Amino acid sequence: MLMRYWQPFTEIETIRQQLDKVFDQLATTRDNSEATWMPALELADAGDNFVLKAQLPGIDPKDVDVQVTPEAISISGERRYENTDEKSGYVRSEFRYGKFHRVLPLPAHIQNDSVQAECKDGILTLTLPKVTEARNKVVKINLAEIAGASTSPALEQANQ
């Protein structure tokens, strides 16, 4: 009698590879006017600022358009093919080429006229200063009123 053992991780990897192929086909069959990929983003809260980093390896900064509103950041552009013979001689290429677009809503409003940008080693870094109201927002809870007969906690807004 031949016994087969179920190998769930192997099957999950096979399914993942099949899904990757499906999504790759969808990305390549889109109209050229649409974005075909999205850069990875990282947003950190640095106290008075947010710091947004976007991975844009191999992309010329002149091919990147950044638009900043008080509520969101929009990054778009294009990664161009390196030579005119698209993929000539390549056995395999997993690089993403074509147009990209990414919109990231921000958790608090920023001063969009004071944003600083730096592009180094394929990483775009934006320093996004928060508006004054969002910087030092402290909520004070009055425990004396909670311990009393009050059914709802008293919250006070205090800017420090």
Side-chain angles (χ1 to χ4, degrees), residues 117-150:
E118 177 187 20
C119 194
K120 182 179 177 186
D121 298 330
I123 303 291
L124 170 66
T125 303
L126 300 175
T127 304
L128 313 162
K130 296 178 186 177
V131 294
T132 307
E133 295 82 32
R135 286 184 184 179
N136 299 320
K137 186 176 181 180
V138 176
V139 176
K140 182 178 179 184
I141 300 174
N142 190 339
L143 296 178
E145 289 185 22
I146 293 173
S150 176

Side-chain angles (χ1 to χ4, degrees), residues 61-67 74-78 100-102 124:
K62 70 177 183 178
D63 292 331
V64 178
D65 178 46
V66 178
Q67 296 182 14
S74 171
I75 301 173
S76 59
E78 183 174 5
F100 62 89
H101 186 235
R102 189 80 192 263
L124 170 66

Side-chain angles (χ1 to χ4, degrees), residues 1-2 13 19 51 60 65 112 116 120 122 127 129:
M1 178 174 189
L2 179 64
E13 180 63 20
L19 284 172
V51 177
D60 193 335
D65 178 46
N112 60 328
Q116 297 176 353
K120 182 179 177 186
T127 304

Side-chain angles (χ1 to χ4, degrees), residues 15 64 83 113-114 130 147:
I15 291 170
V64 178
N83 58 21
D113 57 350
S114 301
K130 296 178 186 177

Side-chain angles (χ1 to χ4, degrees), residues 3-157:
M3 293 184 86
R4 278 187 72 185
Y5 291 100
W6 183 49
Q7 297 178 331
F9 294 111
T10 304
E11 292 185 30
I12 290 171
E13 180 63 20
T14 302
I15 291 170
R16 187 196 64 79
Q17 289 173 352
Q18 291 172 347
L19 284 172
D20 284 347
K21 287 179 185 179
V22 168
F23 286 116
D24 285 342
Q25 289 171 351
L26 287 174
T28 58
T29 58
R30 288 184 180 176
D31 182 18
N32 287 339
S33 64
E34 291 185 41
T36 59
W37 64 283
M38 293 189 307
L41 300 179
E42 181 178 89
L43 181 66
D45 189 342
D48 290 347
N49 302 309
F50 289 113
V51 177
L52 175 71
K53 293 183 180 183
Q55 287 184 343
L56 302 171
I59 299 173
D60 193 335
K62 70 177 183 178
D63 292 331
V64 178
D65 178 46
V66 178
Q67 296 182 14
V68 182
T69 69
E71 303 88 23
I73 305 294
S74 171
I75 301 173
S76 59
E78 183 174 5
R79 182 170 187 197
R80 302 182 191 283
Y81 288 98
E82 294 175 2
N83 58 21
T84 55
D85 289 340
E86 294 181 9
K87 296 187 179 185
S88 67
Y90 290 121
V91 174
R92 179 181 179 131
S93 176
E94 295 182 356
F95 286 6
R96 299 282 187 188
Y97 292 99
K99 295 182 181 185
F100 62 89
H101 186 235
R102 189 80 192 263
V103 176
L104 179 69
L106 297 169
H109 286 229
I110 61 162
Q111 298 174 2
N112 60 328
D113 57 350
S114 301
V115 173
Q116 297 176 353
E118 177 187 20
C119 194
K120 182 179 177 186
D121 298 330
I123 303 291
L124 170 66
T125 303
L126 300 175
T127 304
L128 313 162
K130 296 178 186 177
V131 294
T132 307
E133 295 82 32
R135 286 184 184 179
N136 299 320
K137 186 176 181 180
V138 176
V139 176
K140 182 178 179 184
I141 300 174
N142 190 339
L143 296 178
E145 289 185 22
I146 293 173
S150 176
T151 58
S152 64
L155 297 179
E156 298 176 15
Q157 292 287 334

